[in-house]
């Protein structure tokens, strides 16, 4: 198969799937499931083929004419694959979860249709080969996630959707301005390792600082960097699979990935450091990490606490980028994956609690470990990972970030990481304590799925969090194994820092 | 084998003869109309396949100063194609809309719509000033007739008001034409261009002001837009689609033709004026659209705002940004035609299903009328200039032009306009996700929404055909449009 076809199929298989799902009648549950899973599997297969090629040192790309001086470019390099594989795998898991979660709910056709379009957009972001392509899919992601956020159709959901679009559309305009400006200076801006802007004369440096601010400002909205994070906690009214998608697979991750792309492959990390823009970025990330954790502490709603935790954790990725140096880069990139699998585990579990027992508030968790042991084990693994306990994925990320901070001679970051870990512990450990060590004091709010021997909830809801929790442990224990996220992140880092 | 320039008169005569036939035929009208639609659209596509090479045709073999000339370049070709798509969609939609009790209106709609098609094509292909005037006048009368089709008090008032305003505008335009004729002694655009360039007299500035002013009134440029929302908002949906997508666009097209041709040496001081008015239209129209509670008025005010982009672009049509601005405004015109047509058609479908015009009656439409809501949303995405639509390409090029010329204010206004557009459309689309208040569904299928969606998808797909479209425009952009 030619490179072009491979890349186009990778991006478009979920697009076609989504369109077919829209055309199928609502009742065609079996076909819809088959298309969902089929498209997810085709996508993973294509990505495996691409991985093979990339490991041989190839960079696949396809170029389509789009606008004068701005082609659509899809390009698979090591960095795009990191994000593409993460979202393809998590999409599969989330789809399975969503099928179980939405059992019998109305408007499933609409839900799964937009779900597929959303993944198309995410895949496009991952494989975008230049800024204009990135922007195109980035906006597409905004538009396709809106129907998912407002899926429940309640006034609260609509308010959340309005807020979401208000933030992201303004962010999109800011990003567009940056893209346009850079386009005037450089012509078409294809991503490339080590950056592309360093060819410009020194007189453009002030402009480049402004462009950096515009581009990062645009993507920081989706990455939920404080103070642009307001939409994320509100968006928690969406169904649990959507939260998982927003936090771990698509939206927040797309923003963080955007920061990574812009810093490394547009500006080049060394050039960005010489512009002096990384220091402010690090401070922004640091503030977000602390603010998100502090806000998480005071939330009484489980999903809102997780949402603030995402705000905090996503900025680890940005911090890793902003700390100039290979070790921190490894930490940031690997956290892109690790945060994804840990957070999706937590959201799956929160969804299970809500869907099985009607638990939404934290003080309703007492004794849930007895009732739903497997889910609670998965939740515990995810939470411990977030805290950064050794033998979990989170530890690996923090280890490299800490090393990177030392190497970059930025001691305050170590304190920041320490403080954040303590805060994470402070808001996650009480949950675990309630779940495992307290006894149930009140009846479950609404028991939707009755207990059956050996089965705490429906199988489709139970398996996904167990799989992702297992991967959290594996990524922590076998961090050095071939194809682990860590090894892949090291590979990318080696490309970004030229000898 | 007919010569390819014979396409030009056929593109005018075919719709015209069909309109006359449809006045007579009763039962076979529907099929005749459908066949004509396919044929005319195919001819427009044939013209498109000519690659934008300029075609001239002298009617009856009489050359320019004596006979009537027709000409087509890339710009005209693109607009002819857009017209064919919008007219086809509106005519098909009309077959479903004017059904049952409204069948009588339908019999009037068909020939009027075909006459409008003929008129728009004639205007797009006209090669002399007098023909431009005649076709403009024809479109005005047809538009007023179509707007009055609903025969309600409000529709009649709006139609009459439109007629008055448009006649004043025509008078101003005609006066300008007369002055131009007096000064140059010809009506053929090409000759006028040469003579004006050779001898730009002060009287020509007056002529230009009269012509552009009259056309701006017809194109509902702020602050001369007051007539448009009631006329377009009050008409039957397929009519609104034709008026908003084509008729106001025709006036804009004439300004563009004159701007790049005969009046090119005189445009210096007028550009900024159109820029300011266009910018105010974007902001004011967008703000008013946001404040409307009637769905069709939202869409109608959106036309005011979007026409603002087209007129603002005249101020971008200079210096380093010239080519980008020209490409951008043509794409914007095409994109707006398709998207606005789709939007009015979708609004019509929603109004029927909801049993009322108010936006808050649209609850539950996302599940009851998914095609219409999707059409509305996709068209809205194009209007707001978000990728990957034709609207995005147009806005991108206009922004690029503003950047190249260093016109920062216009850059900011256009970006703000996009956000305004997104806001008022979001306001509408969001309501459709609320659960329906009662299950009492008005009997209405998905066909109306389906037609609207087809047109909206064309606006989307055109976003991927930008480069071929710009290739058609390349000769126009390099020669200033007049050969």
């Amino acid at each position: 198969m030619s490179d072009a076809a491979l890349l186009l199929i990778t991006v478009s298989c979920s697009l076609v799937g989504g369109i077919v799902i829209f055309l199928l009648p609502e009742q065609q549950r079996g076909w819809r499931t088959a298309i969902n899973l089929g498209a997810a599997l085709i996508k993973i297969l294509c990505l495996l083929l691409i991985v093979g090629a990339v490991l041989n040192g190839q960079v696949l790309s396809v170029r389509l004419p789009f606008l004068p001086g701005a082609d659509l470019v899809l390009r698979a390099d090591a960095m795009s694959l990191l994000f593409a594989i993460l979202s393809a795998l998590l999409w599969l898991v989330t789809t399975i979860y969503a099928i179980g979660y939405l059992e019998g709910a109305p408007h499933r056709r609409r839900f799964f249709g937009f779900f597929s379009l959303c993944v198309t957009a995410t895949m496009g972001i991952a494989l975008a080969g230049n800024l204009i392509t990135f922007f195109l899919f980035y906006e597409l992601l905004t538009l396709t996630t809106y129907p998912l956020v407002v899926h429940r159709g309640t006034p609260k959901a609509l308010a959340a959707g309005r807020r979401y679009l208000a933030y992201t559309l303004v962010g999109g305009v800011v990003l567009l301005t940056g893209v346009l400006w850079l386009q005037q200076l450089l012509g078409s801006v294809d991503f490339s390792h080590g950056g592309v802007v360093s060819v410009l004369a020194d007189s453009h440096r002030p402009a480049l600082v402004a462009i950096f601010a515009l581009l990062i400002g645009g993507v920081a909205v989706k990455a939920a960097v404080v103070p642009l994070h307001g939409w994320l906690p509100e968006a928690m009214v969406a169904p649990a699979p959507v939260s998982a998608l927003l936090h771990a697979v698509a939206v927040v991750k797309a923003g963080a990935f955007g920061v990574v792309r812009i810093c490394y492959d547009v500006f080049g990390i060394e050039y960005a450091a010489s512009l002096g823009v990384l220091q402010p970025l690090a401070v922004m990330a640091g503030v977000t990490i602390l603010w998100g954790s502090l806000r998480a502490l005071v939330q009484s709603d489980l999903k809102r606490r997780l949402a603030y935790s995402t705000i905090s954790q996503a900025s680890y990725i940005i911090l890793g980028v902003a700390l100039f140096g290979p070790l921190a880069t490894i930490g940031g990139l690997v956290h892109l994956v690790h945060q994804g699998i840990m957070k999706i585990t937590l959201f799956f579990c929160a969804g299970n609690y809500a869907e099985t027992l009607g638990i939404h508030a934290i003080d309703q968790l007492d004794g849930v470990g007895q009732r739903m042991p497997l889910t609670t084990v998965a939740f515990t693994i995810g939470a411990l990972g977030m805290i950064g306990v050794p033998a979990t994925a989170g530890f690996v990320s923090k280890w490299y970030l800490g090393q990177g901070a030392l190497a970059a001679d930025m001691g305050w970051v170590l304190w920041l990481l320490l403080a954040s870990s303590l805060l994470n512990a402070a808001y996650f450990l009480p949950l675990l304590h309630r779940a495992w060590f307290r006894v149930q004091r009140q009846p479950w709010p609404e028991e939707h799925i009755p207990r059956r021997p050996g089965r705490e909830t429906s199988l489709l809801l139970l398996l996904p969090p167990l799989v992702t929790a297992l991967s959290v442990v594996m990524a922590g224990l076998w961090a050095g194994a071939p194809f682990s996220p860590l090894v892949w992140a090291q590979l990318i880092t080696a490309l970004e820092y030229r000898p | 084998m007919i010569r390819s320039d014979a396409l030009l008169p056929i593109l005018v005569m075919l719709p015209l003869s069909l309109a006359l036939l449809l006045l007579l035929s009763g039962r076979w009208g529907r099929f005749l109309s459908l066949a004509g639609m396919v044929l005319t659209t195919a001819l427009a596509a044939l013209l498109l396949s000519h690659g934008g090479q300029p075609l001239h045709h002298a009617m009856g073999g009489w050359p320019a100063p004596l006979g009537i000339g027709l000409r087509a370049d890339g710009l005209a070709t693109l607009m002819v194609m857009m017209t064919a798509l919008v007219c086809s969609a509106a005519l098909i939609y009309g077959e479903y809309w004017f059904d049952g009790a409204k069948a009588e209106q339908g019999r009037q709609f068909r020939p009027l719509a075909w006459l409008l098609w003929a008129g728009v094509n004639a205007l797009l292909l006209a090669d002399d000033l007098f023909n431009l005037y005649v076709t403009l006048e024809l479109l005005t009368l047809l538009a007023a007739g179509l707007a009055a089709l609903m025969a309600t008090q409000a529709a009649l008032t709006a139609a009459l008001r439109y007629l008055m305003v448009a006649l004043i505008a025509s008078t101003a335009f005609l006066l300008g034409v007369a002055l131009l004729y007096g000064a140059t002694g010809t009506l053929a655009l090409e000759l006028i261009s040469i003579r004006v360039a050779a001898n730009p007299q002060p009287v020509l500035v007056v002529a230009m002001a009269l012509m552009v002013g009259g056309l701006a009134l017809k194109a509902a440029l702020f602050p001369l837009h007051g007539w448009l929302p009631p006329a377009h908002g009050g008409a039957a949906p397929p009519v609104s689609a034709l008026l908003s997508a084509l008729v106001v666009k025709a006036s804009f097209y004439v300004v563009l033709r004159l701007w790049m041709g005969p009046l090119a040496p005189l445009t210096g001081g007028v550009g900024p004026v159109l820029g300011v008015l266009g910018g105010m239209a974007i902001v004011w129209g967008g703000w008013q659209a946001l404040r409307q509670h009637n769905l069709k008025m939202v869409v109608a005010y959106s036309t005011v705002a979007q026409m603002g982009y087209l007129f603002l672009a005249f101020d971008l049509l200079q210096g380093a940004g010239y080519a980008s601005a020209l490409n951008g405004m043509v794409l914007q015109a095409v994109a707006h035609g398709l998207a606005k047509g789709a939007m009015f058609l979708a609004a019509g479908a929603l109004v029927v299903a909801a049993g009322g015009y108010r936006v808050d009656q649209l609850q539950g439409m996302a599940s009851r009328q998914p095609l219409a809501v999707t059409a509305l949303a996709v068209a809205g995405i194009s209007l707001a200039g978000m990728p990957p639509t034709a609207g995005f390409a147009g806005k991108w090029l206009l922004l690029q032009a503003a950047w190249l010329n260093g016109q920062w204010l216009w850059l900011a206004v256009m970006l703000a306009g996009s956000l305004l557009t997104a806001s008022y459309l979001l306001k509408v689309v969001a309501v459709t996700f609320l659960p329906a208040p009662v299950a009492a569904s008005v009997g209405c299928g998905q066909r109306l929404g389906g037609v609207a969606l087809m047109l909206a998808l064309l606006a989307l797909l055109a976003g991927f055909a930008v480069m071929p479209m710009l290739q058609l425009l390349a000769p126009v952009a390099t020669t200033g449009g007049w050969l």
Side-chain angles (χ1 to χ4, degrees):
Chain A
M1 204 184 315
S2 74
D3 294 0
L6 196 58
L7 286 168
L8 289 175
I9 293 173
T10 311
V11 172
S12 61
C13 64
S14 46
L15 174 68
V16 175
I19 292 169
V20 175
I21 288 171
F22 278 124
L23 298 177
L24 282 176
E26 179 78 34
Q27 307 83 7
Q28 292 279 6
R29 187 165 166 277
W31 275 107
R32 190 163 52 228
T33 306
I35 290 165
N36 264 322
L37 298 181
L41 291 173
I42 292 174
K43 182 159 288 194
I44 291 171
L45 193 72
C46 288
L47 282 172
L48 288 179
L49 288 174
I50 295 175
V51 168
V54 169
L55 281 180
N56 284 333
Q58 274 178 278
V59 172
L60 309 189
S61 72
V62 53
R63 183 175 288 271
L64 308 167
F66 180 51
L67 292 170
D71 294 338
L72 275 191
V73 181
L74 293 178
R75 179 168 170 277
D77 55 17
M79 195 186 283
S80 34
L81 284 179
L82 184 78
F83 185 33
I85 293 176
L86 170 77
S87 48
L89 289 175
L90 291 187
W91 179 39
L92 177 63
V93 181
T94 312
T95 305
I96 295 171
Y97 184 80
I99 291 168
Y101 188 91
L102 291 172
E103 186 75 55
H107 308 314
R108 273 176 295 173
R109 172 172 72 165
R110 185 170 89 204
F111 181 90
F112 283 106
F114 281 111
F115 208 68
S116 292
L117 294 186
C118 205
V119 173
T120 309
T122 310
M123 206 50 66
I125 289 173
L127 296 175
N130 61 12
L131 266 178
I132 190 91
T133 315
F134 179 86
F135 173 76
L136 190 145
F137 285 109
Y138 189 81
E139 291 292 273
L140 189 66
L141 182 64
T142 303
L143 297 171
T144 50
T145 37
Y146 173 76
L148 296 175
V149 173
V150 300
H151 183 75
R152 293 230 159 101
T154 58
K156 211 172 153 202
L158 286 192
R162 193 157 52 236
R163 190 155 200 191
Y164 173 61
L165 279 192
Y167 275 80
T168 47
L169 288 180
V170 173
V173 166
V174 172
L175 179 63
L176 176 67
T177 315
V179 175
L180 202 70
W181 194 346
L182 199 54
Q183 178 96 13
Q184 300 314 314
L185 293 183
L186 268 181
S188 184
V189 192
D190 281 9
F191 296 146
S192 106
H193 295 302
V196 287
V197 302
S198 53
V199 297
L200 288 172
D202 275 353
S203 60
H204 288 301
R205 289 172 79 92
L208 284 173
V209 173
I211 293 172
F212 186 85
L214 286 170
L215 294 178
I216 295 290
V219 292
V221 173
K222 280 211 175 93
V225 172
V226 173
L228 311 172
H229 65 289
W231 59 272
L232 188 64
E234 302 306 314
M236 297 318 301
V237 295
V242 176
S243 305
L245 189 85
L246 290 181
H247 288 244
V249 191
V251 179
V252 174
K253 216 34 83 55
F257 181 73
V259 173
V260 171
R261 268 291 195 211
I262 290 162
C263 287
Y264 289 104
D265 291 350
V266 176
F267 279 79
I269 195 70
E270 282 154 15
Y271 191 77
S274 79
L275 280 179
V277 291
L278 292 182
Q279 194 82 17
L281 190 62
V283 172
M284 235 168 65
V287 170
T288 308
I289 289 173
L290 283 184
W291 178 252
S293 300
L294 286 171
R295 293 288 295 155
L297 264 182
V298 299
Q299 303 301 320
S300 58
D301 182 276
L302 180 57
K303 278 179 85 184
R304 278 183 78 91
R305 184 170 284 193
L306 294 180
Y308 277 105
S309 155
T310 300
I311 292 172
S312 157
Q313 294 278 339
S315 274
Y316 276 64
I317 304 166
I318 299 174
L319 184 68
V321 174
L323 294 178
F324 176 66
L327 288 170
T329 303
I330 294 172
L333 290 176
V334 80
H335 201 57
L336 192 81
V337 178
H338 288 167
Q339 190 266 348
I341 54 179
M342 296 190 294
K343 191 39 67 68
I344 207 167
T345 309
L346 292 172
F347 271 112
F348 284 158
C349 294
N352 281 1
Y353 291 144
E355 198 61 3
T356 314
L357 304 174
I359 292 176
H360 295 282
I362 284 163
D363 54 16
Q364 294 164 333
L365 278 173
D366 291 2
V368 79
Q370 298 285 322
R371 169 67 176 79
M372 300 178 67
L374 290 176
T375 302
T376 312
V377 165
F379 189 85
T380 307
I381 292 173
L384 293 178
M386 283 294 176
I387 299 168
V389 172
T392 63
F395 175 72
V396 179
S397 311
K398 284 200 181 157
W399 176 260
Y400 276 92
L401 283 174
Q403 295 268 326
L406 283 180
D409 216 16
M410 289 164 95
W412 61 272
V413 174
L414 271 188
W415 290 106
L416 179 77
L417 290 174
L418 185 66
S420 162
S421 293
L422 286 176
L423 284 169
N424 269 281
Y427 65 78
F428 274 126
L429 290 181
L431 302 186
L432 302 183
H433 177 255
R434 276 177 188 276
W436 289 117
F437 300 112
R438 291 219 190 154
V439 286
Q440 184 184 354
R441 284 180 310 178
Q442 57 207 16
W444 305 119
E446 273 178 275
E447 199 160 345
H448 300 291
I449 304 175
R451 185 171 206 163
R452 278 184 288 157
R455 180 85 60 81
E456 57 192 54
T457 182
S458 82
L459 205 57
L460 287 175
L461 293 181
L462 190 55
L463 280 180
L466 290 179
V467 169
T468 52
L470 187 65
S471 65
V472 172
V473 177
M474 279 169 55
L477 285 179
W478 287 283
F483 298 109
S484 77
L486 179 63
V487 171
W488 200 261
Q490 286 167 334
L491 179 82
I492 299 170
T493 308
L495 291 170
E496 293 300 342
Y497 290 86
R498 291 181 187 147
Chain B
M1 186 68 200
I2 48 168
R3 295 211 327 275
S4 41
D5 63 283
L7 264 178
L8 307 184
I10 297 177
L11 273 166
V12 178
M13 296 314 288
L14 181 68
L16 188 63
S17 9
L18 267 166
L20 298 177
L21 271 178
L22 285 166
L23 274 177
L24 303 174
S25 81
R27 286 177 44 221
W28 293 100
R30 174 171 294 201
F31 303 101
L32 201 61
S33 181
L34 190 68
M37 211 181 284
V38 173
L39 192 58
T40 316
T41 309
L43 289 174
L46 201 59
L47 187 62
L48 208 59
S49 71
H50 238 261
Q53 288 311 310
L55 291 175
H56 289 267
H57 181 85
M59 299 275 266
W62 294 95
L66 283 179
I68 295 174
L70 294 176
R71 71 190 279 286
D73 56 4
L75 171 57
T77 307
L78 273 179
M79 299 296 282
V80 166
M81 190 65 212
M82 189 268 278
T83 305
L85 295 172
V86 173
C87 283
S88 300
L91 278 163
I92 297 173
Y93 188 94
E95 296 299 335
Y96 297 128
W97 177 268
F98 297 109
D99 207 17
K102 289 178 284 192
E104 182 52 39
Q105 285 177 27
R107 267 193 291 282
Q108 296 162 351
F109 170 72
R110 238 182 260 137
L112 281 174
W114 273 103
L115 269 181
L116 188 85
W117 193 342
V120 173
N121 275 356
L123 179 133
L124 295 173
L125 301 172
D127 199 16
D128 65 69
L129 213 45
F130 188 69
N131 273 354
L132 280 178
Y133 168 72
V134 170
T135 47
L136 266 175
E137 200 60 16
L138 179 68
L139 289 185
T140 299
L141 295 175
L142 286 168
L146 280 164
L149 208 59
M150 289 271 267
T152 61
Q153 180 71 42
L156 286 177
T157 313
L160 212 60
R161 181 146 79 133
Y162 166 67
L163 192 62
M164 290 309 197
V165 169
L167 286 178
I168 295 171
S170 297
T171 312
F173 183 75
L174 187 61
L175 213 53
V177 172
L179 287 176
L180 208 54
Y181 182 63
T184 60
T186 178
L187 287 169
L189 289 169
E190 205 175 334
L191 283 175
I192 300 178
S193 304
I194 296 166
R195 293 183 188 169
V196 168
N199 182 18
Q201 316 160 17
V203 65
L204 293 174
V205 178
V206 180
M208 165 161 199
L210 284 168
M211 291 162 79
V212 172
L215 291 166
L217 183 54
K218 282 193 190 226
L221 175 62
F222 180 90
L224 310 172
H225 65 281
W227 60 267
L228 183 140
H232 288 195
V239 172
S240 310
L242 290 174
L243 298 184
S244 251
L246 302 178
V247 176
V248 285
K249 210 62 54 61
S251 302
F252 155 76
Y253 175 86
V254 176
V255 180
L256 181 59
R257 275 295 182 208
L258 296 176
W259 197 271
M260 295 190 306
L263 305 180
L266 312 168
T267 52
V270 190
V273 177
L274 290 185
V276 169
L277 296 181
M280 286 162 83
I282 293 173
V283 176
W284 178 253
W287 176 247
Q288 286 300 316
L290 199 57
R291 290 187 50 218
Q292 299 303 314
H293 299 292
N294 176 330
L295 175 60
K296 291 189 70 186
M297 292 303 265
V298 174
V299 186
Y301 269 106
S302 153
T303 299
V304 174
Q306 296 292 321
M307 290 307 289
Y309 278 93
L310 293 177
F311 277 93
L312 185 146
F314 281 109
D315 196 29
L316 305 175
L317 209 51
Q318 52 170 298
Y322 189 93
S324 289
L326 177 65
N327 288 337
M329 69 208 285
V330 176
L331 282 181
Q332 165 76 10
V334 171
H336 177 252
L338 297 172
K340 187 48 62 67
M343 200 172 261
F344 265 119
L345 298 184
L350 291 174
V351 165
V352 174
Y357 285 93
R358 287 204 321 281
V359 172
D360 54 21
Q361 287 171 307
L362 294 178
Q363 300 194 358
M365 285 300 154
S367 42
R368 279 174 53 205
Q369 283 283 314
L371 298 184
V373 171
T374 312
L376 194 73
V378 171
I381 289 165
S382 179
L383 284 188
M386 279 192 280
T389 58
F392 170 67
K395 297 248 165 79
W396 167 268
L397 289 166
L398 290 180
L399 289 170
Q400 206 169 41
W403 203 292
L404 288 169
N405 293 339
Q407 292 166 306
W408 309 119
L409 178 63
W410 294 156
L411 191 85
V413 167
M414 287 191 282
L415 287 173
S418 283
L419 285 178
L420 263 177
T421 313
S423 316
Y424 61 73
L425 290 164
L426 170 65
K427 211 180 99 181
V428 174
V429 172
V431 178
T432 66
F433 281 97
L434 286 169
V438 275
S441 151
V442 181
C444 169
Q446 302 281 333
R447 290 179 305 191
L448 294 175
V451 179
L453 184 56
M454 285 300 159
L455 202 53
L457 287 179
L458 285 173
L460 180 75
L461 291 176
F464 291 96
V466 171
M467 293 311 276
M469 287 201 266
L470 293 186
Q471 266 163 21
L472 290 175
L473 288 175
V476 184
T478 50
T479 62
W482 228 252
L483 300 159

